[in-house]
């Protein structure tokens, strides 16, 4: 092993304790977190192991890095149990939501799915259930999932200091949106905010917990999601900030009182642009989510809200665009930040 390789195996970003969760999320999202080594706390600071130097962040070379024991691979646990010609189809990734593992199983492995579920529970003994994910359905985008191991039920997912209670069999929670949830946590301080498709509080809760707006009106039409929204407001002790509203945001969105409006739905979002824009005070910011062809990003994302504002006699200026995740081949989920005058 070369000296340069040795040094890379010791590199760590140093941040304060209050910044650690955000830093870990950013490093993980960008593939810079060294998962072989443990995160270490020293005297109020946190050392986060990284694979290389990160621009703009303080770096140290650890004198005694702490390594994890190597976890077995899923394929190791299933060696001899899965036909050799199917081993390459085994899942290479999964999402842990609270104490529930969510995984996609290739259709050619369907007769082995319960064996795969049991193996995943052996890999993660703190988890109690494995769900095979098969997409979403219906008006409320409810998950299509099958229990393949363990006992399903409600769980509490912790992310960036925020608690999300939900039933993974009935409620979606996108791992790919973590960066945007963290970004929302840094916005809205002292503002009046309207969250038009609030769900269980995906964006309202991080904003309320970390930025403390004066008020968030969180509107959700799905009664199951709304029930969890109410419970999550209580769990995170932000009852004084978030007002949960059950119903259709096409009817219940207030007019002319918001400094910031979140439109965190995709697919149907364009139909509600008029309501989102009318909710804003002059100079307010609209966060408009939509799926667009990758080759047309960001123009196809920015055009609808700017056009809708013009039809209402208001000027609109794009102030930022962010890719959230790949939605499908050639399609990206993005969010446009639009200031409306």
């Amino acid at each position: 092993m070369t000296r340069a390789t040795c040094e890379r195996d010791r590199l760590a970003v140093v941040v304060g304790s209050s910044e650690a969760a955000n830093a870990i999320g950013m490093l993980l999202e960008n593939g810079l977190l060294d998962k072989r080594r443990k995160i270490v706390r020293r005297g109020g600071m946190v050392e986060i192991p990284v694979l290389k130097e990160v621009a703009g962040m303080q770096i140290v070379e650890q004198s005694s890095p702490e390594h994890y024991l190597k976890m077995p691979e899923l394929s190791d646990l299933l060696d001899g149990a899965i036909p050799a010609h199917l081993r390459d189809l085994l899942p290479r990734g999964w999402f842990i939501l609270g104490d529930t593992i969510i995984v996609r199983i290739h259709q050619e492995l369907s007769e082995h799915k319960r064996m795969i579920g049991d193996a995943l529970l052996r890999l993660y003994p703190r988890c109690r259930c494995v769900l095979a994910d098969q997409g979403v359905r219906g008006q409320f985008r409810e998950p299509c999932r099958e229990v393949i191991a363990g006992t399903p039920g409600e769980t509490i997912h912790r992310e960036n200091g925020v608690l999300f209670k939900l039933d993974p069999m009935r409620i979606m929670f996108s791992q790919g949106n973590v960066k945007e949830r963290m970004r929302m946590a840094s916005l809205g301080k002292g503002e009046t905010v309207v969250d038009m498709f609030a769900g269980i509080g995906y964006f309202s809760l991080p904003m309320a917990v970390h930025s403390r707006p004066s008020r968030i009106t969180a509107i959700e039409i799905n009664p199951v999601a709304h029930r969890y929204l109410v419970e999550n407001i209580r769990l995170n002790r932000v009852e004084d900030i978030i007002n949960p509203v059950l119903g259709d945001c096409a009817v219940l969105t207030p007019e002319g009182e918001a400094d910031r409006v979140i439109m965190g739905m995709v697919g149907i979002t364009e139909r509600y642009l008029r309501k989102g824009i009318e909710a804003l005070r002059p100079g307010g910011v609209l966060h408009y989510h939509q799926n667009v062809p990758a080759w047309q990003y960001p123009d196809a994302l920015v055009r609808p809200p700017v056009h809708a504002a013009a039809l209402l006699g208001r000027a609109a200026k794009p102030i930022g665009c962010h890719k959230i995740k790949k939605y499908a081949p050639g399609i990206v989920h993005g969010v446009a930040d639009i200031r409306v005058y």
Side-chain angles (χ1 to χ4, degrees):
M1 184 179 292
T2 66
R3 175 180 172 81
T5 302
C6 289
E7 290 175 350
R8 282 199 302 273
D9 286 343
R10 296 173 178 272
L11 292 178
V13 162
V14 181
V15 297
S17 296
S18 63
E19 302 168 356
N22 284 344
I24 292 166
M26 182 276 291
L27 294 168
L28 189 61
E29 178 78 12
N30 290 282
L32 297 171
L33 185 69
D34 187 347
K35 299 177 183 178
R36 301 167 301 169
R37 289 181 283 145
K38 297 181 181 180
I39 295 170
V40 179
R41 297 181 180 273
R42 303 185 198 276
M45 302 299 287
V46 180
E47 295 179 6
I48 307 170
V50 291
L51 297 170
K52 62 181 182 180
E53 293 193 15
V54 183
M57 303 188 81
Q58 182 184 348
I59 297 286
V60 297
E61 186 176 328
Q62 295 177 312
S63 57
S64 52
E66 300 180 21
H67 289 80
Y68 290 107
L69 295 175
K70 185 180 184 298
M71 283 182 66
E73 299 288 340
L74 180 61
S75 57
D76 296 335
L77 295 180
L78 293 169
D79 188 31
I82 298 289
H85 71 283
L86 295 177
R87 284 171 61 92
D88 287 343
L89 300 179
L90 285 169
R92 299 173 185 268
W94 39 84
F95 176 35
I96 298 180
L97 185 61
D99 58 7
T100 299
I101 303 169
I102 299 172
V103 62
R104 283 189 175 267
I105 305 290
H106 195 283
Q107 60 182 6
E108 291 189 37
L109 289 169
S110 57
E111 66 180 272
H112 306 287
K113 60 191 175 188
R114 301 198 183 279
M115 193 184 304
I116 294 170
D118 289 338
L120 284 169
L121 286 183
R122 293 203 301 276
L123 275 177
Y124 300 94
R126 75 171 184 85
C127 292
R128 64 170 181 173
C129 175
V130 182
L131 305 180
D133 188 67
Q134 298 159 358
V136 296
R137 65 186 169 205
Q139 174 190 358
F140 297 145
R141 296 183 58 79
E142 295 172 314
C144 300
R145 290 172 178 162
E146 177 188 2
V147 182
I148 59 173
T151 305
E154 293 181 333
T155 191
I156 295 179
H157 182 65
R158 294 168 173 82
E159 178 185 277
N160 190 26
V162 181
L163 304 178
F164 296 93
K165 184 175 181 179
L166 70 155
D167 181 347
M169 289 290 287
R170 304 180 72 188
I171 297 291
M172 286 297 298
F173 192 98
S174 176
Q175 179 186 25
N177 292 0
V178 59
K179 192 172 181 180
E180 183 65 9
R181 288 192 290 270
M182 292 173 66
R183 187 172 79 96
M184 288 295 105
S186 67
L187 302 175
K189 183 176 181 180
E191 296 179 349
T192 298
V193 178
V194 174
D195 186 355
M196 291 178 63
F197 308 95
I200 65 169
Y202 307 109
F203 299 126
S204 291
L205 290 170
M207 188 177 282
V209 168
H210 293 289
S211 288
R212 312 294 293 182
S214 63
R215 195 67 172 162
I216 301 175
T217 299
I219 307 168
E220 175 53 45
I221 196 172
N222 180 349
V224 177
H226 177 266
R227 175 167 62 82
Y228 283 114
L229 171 63
V230 172
E231 197 157 352
N232 287 329
I233 291 168
R234 180 185 57 79
L235 278 175
N236 289 278
R237 300 178 181 177
V238 288
E239 298 96 328
D240 58 327
I241 295 176
I242 302 178
N243 174 35
V245 177
L246 174 61
D248 187 349
C249 59
V251 177
L252 298 172
T253 300
E255 292 188 14
E257 64 178 55
D259 302 301
R260 191 174 299 271
V261 171
I262 305 168
M263 302 184 73
M265 177 71 79
V266 294
I268 64 170
T269 331
E270 193 167 343
R271 304 178 205 166
Y272 296 83
L273 269 169
R274 181 186 183 101
K275 283 292 182 180
I277 292 167
E278 288 178 339
L280 286 166
R281 296 170 178 164
V285 175
L286 183 77
H287 300 288
Y288 172 73
H289 290 241
Q290 191 56 282
N291 295 329
V292 298
W295 66 275
Q296 292 183 337
Y297 174 91
D299 292 345
L301 183 62
V302 167
R303 195 180 305 118
V306 170
H307 178 65
L311 291 178
L312 292 169
R314 300 181 67 172
K317 178 183 178 182
I319 56 174
C321 282
H322 307 270
K323 287 183 181 179
I324 293 181
K325 61 179 183 287
K326 180 180 176 181
Y327 186 82
I331 303 294
V332 296
H333 172 185
V335 56
D337 301 338
I338 308 290
R339 191 172 298 282
V340 179
Y341 299 94

